Amino acid sequence: MIKKYGIMATILKSDQREFQESPNRIDNYRIFTEVSRAKKGVNPENLNFDLRQLHPDQYSAPYHFHRYAEELFMIISGSATLRTPNGLEILNSGDLVFFEKGETGAHQLYNHTSATCTYLDIRTYIGYDVAEYPDSDKILLVPTFEIFNKDSQAKYFDGEAKIKDKWKEIEPR
């Protein structure tokens, strides 16, 4: 770390990289994330980033979009197929792709090759996000990582009709 004039820069050296499989993954979604950032205590407040490895025949994550985060991928090495609302497109080393907030920014990577694809994943973070998964109709709340089925959506006043009874239960006697 270099500290000068109250500004601190943390350097993550390429020769010190260590990729570990991301926990709680299932077959077809095995992805590896570089962990030196965490080991050095780098915990970004608004600009989150990860260097990832996507091995052959693996998907990055279920097809999804973010309601409150923008995301940017840069392919460092290798190649992968990108799925968006516009269809499929091959990404190669050096390509950048920006995902805006909302449905039009939906995305998923698949490594269609026999070599590992390494990419930088940069995303904004304002303390919370909601990710939607169109293929499975799920909603993920971040940072709590609670997952709900979108099709079980409720109306605002569902279950609120007997409010007087609730107040009677809690009123001092």
Side-chain angles (χ1 to χ4, degrees), residues 15-140:
D15 62 350
Q16 297 171 356
R17 294 218 167 97
E18 179 187 346
F19 287 88
Q20 291 182 358
E21 185 173 354
S22 297
N24 304 318
R25 293 297 185 123
I26 64 170
D27 288 342
N28 298 317
Y29 295 97
R30 307 271 182 215
I31 194 166
F32 289 73
T33 301
E34 205 280 325
V35 296
S36 69
R37 179 188 90 168
K39 285 185 174 185
K40 287 194 173 196
V42 176
N43 189 19
E45 189 173 325
N46 296 329
L47 182 66
N48 210 338
F49 62 93
D50 286 296
L51 189 60
R52 301 191 188 274
Q53 287 183 334
L54 188 59
H55 293 284
D57 200 34
Q58 295 296 306
Y59 296 85
S60 58
Y63 183 65
H64 69 284
F65 63 89
H66 302 269
R67 288 189 186 173
Y68 303 104
E70 297 171 318
E71 201 163 6
L72 178 77
F73 289 172
M74 180 176 188
I75 306 300
I76 305 295
S77 64
S79 182
T81 301
L82 172 67
R83 176 185 173 195
T84 69
N86 294 328
L88 303 176
E89 184 156 343
I90 303 292
L91 300 177
N92 295 300
S93 180
D95 288 348
L96 283 169
V97 60
F98 171 72
F99 307 105
E100 59 192 26
K101 294 185 271 184
E103 292 180 46
T104 55
H107 58 279
Q108 181 181 46
L109 285 179
Y110 170 70
N111 187 340
H112 64 278
T113 75
S114 60
T116 297
C117 174
T118 302
Y119 67 99
L120 180 62
D121 177 354
I122 303 170
R123 57 211 167 273
T124 58
Y125 184 67
I126 54 173
Y128 64 91
D129 188 18
V130 175
E132 288 194 37
Y133 299 84
D135 291 347
S136 56
D137 288 327
K138 292 187 308 257
I139 294 176
L140 167 70

